[in-house]
Structures are given as structure tokens and as C-alpha cells.
Amino acid sequence: PIAFKINSMKNLIAASFALLVGFAQAACPNQCSGHGTCGVDEVCTCYPGWGTGGNAGGDCSERFCAYELAWVDNPTRDGGRHRYAECSHKGMCNRKSGECECFEGYEGKACGRQSCPSDCSGHGTCEYMKDLAFGIVYNEYYDGSANALSGLGVGGKTFSQDYSWDQDRARACVCDAGWTGLSCHERMCPYGNDVMDVIPGFDENSLLGMPGYGNEVAQVQTVTLYDADLSNSNFNSKTFAIQFTSKLNETYVTQPIMWDSDVTLATSIEDALKKLPNKVIDDVDVTVDSSVDANGVIIDVTFTGSTVQGKQHKLEILQDTCEEGCNPRITGLTNIRTFSTTTLSTVEISTIGSHNSFECGRRGTCDRANGLCKCYTGFTGETCSILTALV
């Protein structure tokens, strides 16, 4: 009887233990997979980053992925857009790894930024929208039309204030010199004057009341430099340089230019520009006038060469000090005026040239594969600007 009681007690304990285990196993699904705690209501409270099917709770067996502002979503009741969404609504969440598998054209932890097509083909850089610039050269924006739009510098104008929600997410290719296209996969072709373009002027025919032709005018860029003390002699013995950007967006910097008398300085600027590689400026005329301190130093650069006919990018003056390890090594125009309510240094197009500047001279098509012009019948030359036949 005693043995029977002991065995019965053991069986009862074993049965009770089995019931308790079964109860415990049934309390929360899959014991919350080890990624959560089981509550009194038999519902898992998952640890951060865990859930089921993209929702909180369940058996806590699946991961969440990173959230970012949605690229596109349905509006809220008050018309709001771009709420936070898993993978920014531009990718699928891998619930095992917790990583977004972004759709083509998107990348990043939460697919929160655009990728650039073909990685810009190896011929450019992928830049955020906030870092894109207006214009190619500095004085394209600071055109001297107002005092606030004057000054000297290098490069296009970027804007510090941009309240676009995607300013640091949307991206585009900025192509290297000589390349173009949304993915920088196309070559640019050389620019030249349309040889068949009619240039109006005032010749002898105009005296007879008829249109005149043939009075060609080259583009003139005027560089005006003001000393902070309105004393042009402060520029004496200083050195500076000039940067020229071609129509293919290639940048060329002159050798250091030593400040001297007006005539000598004009010659030095001419020589420095014509010595730039590849004959990018084949001819130019320069005059300098520093006779009136209050007017600053006026440098007129006339583009007379055949390779620089038509509208060219404005010159950029390198006036900051550039010492050891810097190229070109210059003292800089250290006393140049940087703030004024009336006068600031600037670069302007003072004379609009009568020639034009088109890719392949508007007399051929550009072979984007090799950057060479395919001239129409009757035209030849690098820019199709040479007439070979009259029709």
C-alpha cells in the first residue's frame, strides 16, 4: 500500500508537471521566439526591432527594417505626405536579416536616397540636390547686374537654404569635363560658330536704307578690380591668376601674372591666356586702365580667336593667396575690396559678340560615342565651321 501511494504520488506530480509545461508552452506563441516577453494576457511584447509580418506582437520571430520618410504615400486626413515608412516605400524588408532590399534606383539603409544611373558611368559624381550648382562659373550668377550680385570667386552658385524635403535624398550626376547626359555616358563635341549665320551690321548698305552685313564684333569681358582703399598702387608687385572654362567645361589656369604697369600687365595677361594648353584660347586682346583709383582697375579681354568665337564662359580671377604646395603659387590680391554698398569687383560681358557658339557649329551632328562631329555635306572641320561648297 505504501509503494502504491508513492507511485501514485509520483504519477500525480509527473502529470501535474506535464500540464504546467503544456500550459507554459501554450501561454505565448513560440515562447516569443526569445525576442520578447510574455505578458499575463498571453501576448508577446517584442524587443525593439522584432515583430511578426511588419507588425508588433505575434511570436516576435521576424525583424523590422529601417524607416525613413516615404518617397510616396497616400495623404493623411489633412493632406500631409511623406510620413515615415519602412524602407521608405522603395524596397522590401528582409524579415530574417532586417535589411531593406531596395528597388532599382534607390539605396541606403532605408532606401532613403536615390542612386545615380549607372553610377554616372565612371565619368561624373553623384551629388545631392542641395549640392547642385547654378551655372558653371562664379560670375554666371554674380553677373554684376547689382552690387549684391558682384564679387569674385570660382565655380557655380550653390544655395545654403533649401527646404525641399528631399534635398539631401534626391541625387543627380554632375559630369566630368567633356561628358554629358543624365548618366554622363555621352561625350560632348566641340563648339564653334555657324559659318552660315548672317551677322547684321551697319556697313555702306545701311546708308541706303538696306540691311547691312559683315560688321563682326568679338565678345568682350570686362574685369573690374577695386582695391579696399581705392588705391590701385596697392596691387603693385602682387601676383594673381586667371581661370578659363571651355565650352566642354574643361578648366584651365594661367601661370602666375605679375602686376605691373598697364601696358605690361595687359601683355602679361594676353600671353598667359594664349599659353593655356591645347590652344583653348588661340587669340585674345587685352587692355588695362588703372588711371582713376575710384574706378578701380578695368581690364578688357576681347576674344578675337577662332576657337573662342561667340559666347564664352566668364573668366574667373584667382585673387586669394596660394603659397607653398599650392598651384599656381601666387601672393594674391590681398587688399581687394570684398565688401561695399556701392562698388565691388566683378566680371561682366561688356560687349556681346556677333558670332554664335553651337555644338558642331550647328552644321553637323555629334557622335556621342567618340565626341567627334559628323559634318553635313558641304561643311568640314573640327566644329563643321569650314564651308567646302556653295549650293
Side-chain angles (χ1 to χ4, degrees):
I2 295 176
F4 174 78
K5 289 182 178 180
I6 292 175
N7 289 333
S8 297
M9 184 62 70
K10 289 181 177 179
N11 292 335
L12 180 60
I13 292 172
S16 298
F17 182 75
L19 288 172
L20 288 173
V21 171
F23 177 78
Q25 290 178 338
C28 276
N30 202 24
Q31 299 183 54
C32 301
S33 306
H35 302 302
T37 58
C38 186
V40 294
D41 53 357
E42 302 179 5
V43 173
C44 289
T45 300
C46 302
Y47 298 146
W50 293 91
T52 305
N55 298 301
D59 65 353
C60 305
S61 61
E62 298 180 334
R63 289 181 178 271
F64 282 99
C65 286
Y67 278 63
E68 251 293 1
L69 295 177
W71 288 97
V72 61
D73 57 3
N74 292 328
T76 61
R77 183 181 182 86
D78 58 2
R81 305 273 184 176
H82 306 298
R83 290 166 289 173
Y84 279 92
E86 200 171 29
C87 301
S88 306
H89 283 172
K90 287 299 180 181
M92 302 297 294
C93 179
N94 185 320
R95 299 294 175 194
K96 290 184 178 180
S97 65
E99 296 180 347
C100 291
E101 296 174 353
C102 301
F103 301 148
E104 185 177 358
Y106 298 89
E107 62 184 35
K109 185 178 180 180
C111 308
R113 65 174 180 266
Q114 289 179 338
S115 56
C116 283
S118 303
D119 291 328
C120 302
S121 307
H123 302 300
T125 57
C126 192
E127 304 292 342
Y128 290 105
M129 182 167 63
K130 66 177 182 179
D131 298 322
L132 299 179
F134 169 85
I136 304 298
V137 297
Y138 187 83
N139 290 107
E140 194 167 344
Y141 178 82
Y142 294 99
D143 58 2
S145 59
N147 192 62
L149 294 176
S150 299
L152 301 176
V154 175
K157 164 68 175 176
T158 57
F159 296 86
S160 58
Q161 291 183 331
D162 185 348
Y163 301 106
S164 304
W165 72 273
D166 56 349
Q167 63 171 332
D168 55 355
R169 304 180 70 194
R171 299 198 293 173
C173 289
V174 176
C175 300
D176 296 337
W179 294 88
T180 188
L182 294 177
S183 63
C184 302
H185 66 289
E186 298 177 328
R187 284 190 175 274
M188 300 174 70
C189 282
Y191 282 66
N193 178 57
D194 181 358
V195 68
M196 298 300 292
D197 187 49
V198 175
I199 301 175
F202 296 95
D203 58 14
E204 63 277 3
N205 289 330
S206 65
L207 300 177
L208 303 176
M210 298 182 293
Y213 302 102
N215 292 334
E216 301 176 356
V217 178
Q219 184 191 73
V220 180
Q221 295 187 19
T222 298
V223 180
T224 306
L225 303 176
Y226 288 99
D227 176 73
D229 301 321
L230 290 182
S231 177
N232 293 337
S233 62
N234 288 335
F235 291 133
N236 290 344
S237 300
K238 302 291 185 180
T239 55
F240 67 103
I242 300 176
Q243 179 166 292
F244 174 73
T245 302
S246 74
K247 298 300 287 285
L248 298 182
N249 299 330
E250 302 161 321
T251 56
Y252 300 86
V253 179
T254 67
Q255 63 190 27
I257 301 171
M258 174 72 73
W259 199 280
D260 210 315
S261 66
D262 289 359
V263 174
T264 302
L265 179 58
T267 301
S268 297
I269 294 174
E270 276 187 28
D271 292 342
L273 289 174
K274 289 192 285 189
K275 285 180 181 178
L276 291 175
N278 305 329
K279 292 189 177 295
V280 65
I281 298 180
D282 57 339
D283 203 3
V284 66
D285 290 332
V286 178
T287 62
V288 177
D289 183 2
S290 63
S291 59
V292 181
D293 287 336
N295 293 339
V297 179
I298 302 172
I299 303 172
D300 285 327
V301 181
T302 305
F303 291 87
T304 55
S306 60
T307 65
V308 285
Q309 289 182 327
K311 184 178 180 180
Q312 303 296 314
H313 292 306
K314 292 181 179 178
L315 299 171
E316 294 173 303
I317 307 300
L318 308 185
Q319 86 281 3
D320 293 330
T321 300
C322 187
E323 297 179 331
E324 291 184 11
C326 187
N327 186 41
R329 187 173 177 179
I330 56 177
T331 64
L333 305 178
T334 53
N335 206 43
I336 204 161
R337 175 173 288 192
T338 57
F339 176 80
S340 171
T341 58
T342 55
T343 53
L344 276 177
S345 302
T346 191
V347 180
E348 301 176 85
I349 296 178
S350 52
T351 300
I352 299 175
S354 51
H355 294 96
N356 50 53
S357 183
F358 295 106
E359 197 170 33
C360 298
R362 201 165 57 179
R363 296 295 162 176
T365 58
C366 178
D367 187 332
R368 297 297 179 189
N370 56 29
L372 298 176
C373 292
K374 293 181 178 179
C375 301
Y376 302 145
T377 302
F379 300 90
T380 188
E382 184 183 16
T383 61
C384 305
S385 297
I386 299 175
L387 184 65
T388 62
L390 293 177
V391 179

